[in-house]
Amino acid sequence: MFFASDNWSGAHPKIAESLTKQAAGFASAYGSSELDKRIEAQFNDIFEREVAVFFVATGTAANSLALASVAKAGGVTFCHSDAHVNADEGGAPEFLTSACRLFPVEGDNGKMDREALHTAVSRFDVPSVHQGRPMAITVTQATEAGTVYTLDELDAIAAIAKSKNLPLHMDGARFANALVALDATPAEMTWKRGVDILSFGGTKNGCWCAEAIVFMKPEMAEEMPYIRKRSAQLFSKTRFISAQLEAYLEGDLWLDLARHSNAMADRLRVGLTAKNTARLAWQTQANEVFAIIDKTSAARAQSKGAKFYDWLAPRDMPHMIGENERLVRLVTSFSTTQEEVDQFIEVV
């Protein structure tokens, strides 16, 4: 019953097989192999336009270097207060953007409130060397709260970005989970909504370590080769990232894996709702479930091997947890089974 994180899951067998296949023989280094070029070109097909793609090892690297590509002195990036870049990346975005800062924006269910974002960005309408200047807006899709921005919500944020002449970045660590939750295409959820740069995540969805920075307008990527090298993210044997992505993308495996993890989360949501010792903290759409569970039931589940994290109550819901309750996060993955889900529900 492993629900601590989708990072706990292993690599899908087809991805492991692809890595093994590439382990033999020789291939040119630093992203110049035939495989690297072929996978880069495949991203053009996925996004229905010419894009620029840069492979990196981690989601933190993808987010931080994406923001570094649009950094400027005194730069300010606007994000949700609970966004991964703000709460879980150890200052890497600030460090790798040469001390540009993040400006947290509130909003329910892990999503930036449109009016709050507009107010925050507008504070910088009058240039001031003391306050800094707007640099970018970043959204997390799916969010850290397990919710998903609708296409209309993305349109609204993109409209603010466009009105302020700011690039829009999307943290897509769980990009596939959000995509299948919306039943949208990659193009519909990114550049057709006004997204300029995407952190395309594969690690949480069956890869070993495979992330990509995708520029929807290749001309925006002029500095990225140098930024990636300077940040020690240019792999010599890049083909091993490409090998993962080759299997990941082939036959839409990546979407099938995301559909499975989302379905397992749906099963958790339905099962927990039927219990008198647990309830959903809020509605989620992707592969994260936040539940309020009786302390005795939660402890019993852990004693029987269940793995999950306790979670802090959101700022907008400070009194949601009773004295004898725990708020927990449950994350499903491509390797979660129905039996695991049913066992957890039964134990609870």
Side-chain angles (χ1 to χ4, degrees):
M1 296 180 286
F2 290 96
F3 301 109
S5 174
D6 35 12
N7 285 322
W8 284 39
S9 63
H12 187 274
K14 289 184 178 180
I15 292 170
E17 181 183 353
S18 185
L19 281 166
T20 301
K21 177 182 176 182
Q22 290 299 323
F26 293 81
S28 56
Y30 299 112
S32 62
S33 72
E34 291 183 8
L35 176 61
D36 294 321
K37 298 303 182 185
R38 187 168 72 249
I39 301 306
E40 287 178 7
Q42 191 169 352
F43 273 84
N44 295 336
D45 297 332
I46 290 170
F47 288 94
E48 303 175 43
R49 66 180 296 160
E50 182 183 357
V51 298
V53 184
F54 299 85
F55 303 140
V56 294
T58 70
T60 294
N63 290 335
S64 301
L65 300 189
L67 296 178
S69 72
V70 295
K72 50 190 175 184
V76 178
T77 295
F78 301 86
C79 63
H80 190 272
S81 56
D82 293 328
H84 206 268
V85 291
N86 190 50
D88 295 288
E89 294 186 349
E94 294 93 335
F95 179 74
L96 290 168
T97 57
S98 300
C100 293
R101 62 192 173 99
L102 298 168
F103 193 109
V105 176
E106 298 299 333
D108 296 342
N109 299 320
K111 297 190 275 190
M112 284 186 290
D113 177 78
R114 183 189 182 282
E115 294 304 321
L117 175 61
H118 185 268
T119 299
V121 179
S122 297
R123 290 180 57 177
F124 296 84
D125 281 349
V126 178
S128 169
V129 69
H130 303 289
Q131 293 181 340
R133 50 184 173 166
M135 181 179 93
I137 296 173
T138 177
V139 296
T140 311
Q141 182 75 326
T143 75
E144 295 302 307
T147 56
V148 175
Y149 284 95
T150 66
L151 299 184
D152 287 343
E153 288 170 334
L154 291 174
D155 281 336
I157 290 175
I160 295 173
K162 185 176 181 179
S163 71
K164 303 295 184 179
N165 197 29
L166 296 175
L168 178 59
H169 166 256
M170 176 179 284
D171 174 358
R174 295 186 174 96
F175 183 77
N177 299 97
L179 199 67
V180 298
L182 289 178
D183 192 23
T185 68
E188 288 169 344
M189 203 172 76
T190 55
W191 63 268
K192 289 186 177 182
R193 306 271 76 76
V195 173
D196 298 296
I197 312 171
L198 167 70
S199 295
F200 180 91
T203 304
K204 294 181 186 295
N205 193 37
C207 290
W208 170 58
C209 69
E211 310 284 318
I213 306 168
V214 183
F215 290 83
M216 302 302 159
K217 302 173 185 175
E219 62 269 21
M220 291 184 66
E222 182 179 358
E223 299 296 317
M224 182 51 68
Y226 303 95
I227 293 171
R228 181 175 61 170
K229 176 63 176 179
R230 183 182 65 185
S231 304
Q233 283 292 316
L234 177 59
F235 280 49
S236 60
K237 297 182 180 180
T238 309
R239 73 182 187 272
F240 289 108
I241 295 180
S242 296
Q244 295 173 71
L245 293 172
E246 180 180 41
Y248 185 62
L249 299 173
E250 186 175 358
D252 286 340
L253 175 65
W254 63 301
L255 300 178
D256 291 338
L257 299 182
R259 288 189 187 98
H260 174 81
S261 58
N262 284 12
M264 293 301 97
D266 286 340
R267 195 177 184 90
L268 265 178
R269 285 184 272 264
V270 172
L272 290 172
T273 301
K275 293 291 181 182
N276 59 10
T277 54
R279 67 184 188 277
L280 297 181
W282 56 83
Q283 288 295 328
T284 55
Q285 295 82 45
N287 65 318
E288 292 180 284
V289 177
F290 293 83
I292 299 172
I293 301 178
D294 173 272
K295 284 183 177 180
T296 301
S297 298
R300 182 170 61 247
Q302 288 178 311
S303 72
K304 293 182 179 294
K307 305 294 183 184
F308 52 83
Y309 287 124
D310 286 280
W311 213 251
L312 292 175
R315 295 171 181 82
D316 57 317
M317 292 185 277
H319 306 299
M320 67 187 304
I321 309 169
E323 183 178 349
N324 295 314
E325 296 178 322
R326 291 164 62 180
L327 171 61
V328 304
R329 185 188 74 163
L330 307 164
V331 188
T332 56
S333 72
F334 80 93
S335 55
T336 302
T337 65
Q338 291 186 11
E339 290 74 19
E340 283 182 275
V341 172
D342 294 346
Q343 182 184 1
F344 179 80
I345 293 169
E346 182 60 30
V347 169
V348 168

